[in-house]
Amino acid sequence: QILVGAYGLTTGAGIAEALLRAHHRGVEVKLIADKTTPCGRNSGIDPLANAGVPVWIDNRARIAHTKTMVIDGAVTLSGSYNWTRGAAANSEDLNLVASPVVAEAYAGHWRDRQGRSMRFDRREDWCRAAAR
């Protein structure tokens, strides 16, 4: 299982593509993103949603600034590193913590945000509604 919290997620950075490959291998991938993420250029949300990855949009937070992944309830990635191509050129950090206790804390936060978020199905529907 991979639980993803994303402020930005674009194609071409390798992250969205790796999540798609994991999904196609049968890994349960779930994503919560900021309300602006689906409408940006090269958004990685569409390919994931089109492949059947469940996606939610955290539309309640002013900015859903989280950048985390909880992998198999054992490993947590977290930091300032956005899941975007541009992040690779910036001086951003990404921390890997191998601890089931830390992973459960982050997964609990992820589930809390999921309960406050809206399900995303199609970019056209979301971006049109978000523009109003």
Side-chain angles (χ1 to χ4, degrees):
Q1 180 185 62
I2 304 174
L3 303 177
V4 182
Y7 175 68
L9 176 71
T10 61
T11 58
I15 305 296
E17 294 81 2
L19 292 170
L20 275 172
R21 287 192 303 274
H23 172 72
H24 290 308
R25 285 193 316 271
V27 175
E28 179 185 31
V29 177
K30 297 180 179 181
L31 169 75
I32 300 172
D34 181 74
K35 59 189 165 220
T36 62
T37 305
C39 303
R41 201 172 119 218
N42 299 323
S43 175
I45 301 285
D46 280 332
L48 291 167
N50 290 341
V53 171
V55 176
W56 290 266
I57 304 297
D58 189 343
N59 64 324
R60 292 194 181 189
R62 186 177 67 80
I63 291 178
H65 206 245
T66 187
K67 298 127 181 181
T68 60
M69 282 190 201
V70 179
I71 303 167
D72 294 336
V75 174
T76 304
L77 299 172
S78 179
S80 65
Y81 195 94
N82 284 304
W83 312 119
T84 64
R85 180 184 289 195
N90 295 335
S91 178
E92 300 192 33
D93 70 290
L94 182 62
N95 303 292
L96 185 148
V97 180
S99 164
V101 173
V102 171
E104 181 49 40
Y106 274 88
H109 177 74
W110 190 95
R111 288 188 295 273
D112 178 64
R113 293 316 309 167
Q114 179 191 26
R116 299 166 191 256
S117 300
M118 292 182 64
R119 183 66 188 258
F120 172 86
D121 292 309
R122 293 178 354 123
R123 173 188 175 107
E124 295 80 13
D125 295 339
W126 177 261
C127 296
R128 186 174 28 251
R132 291 184 207 146

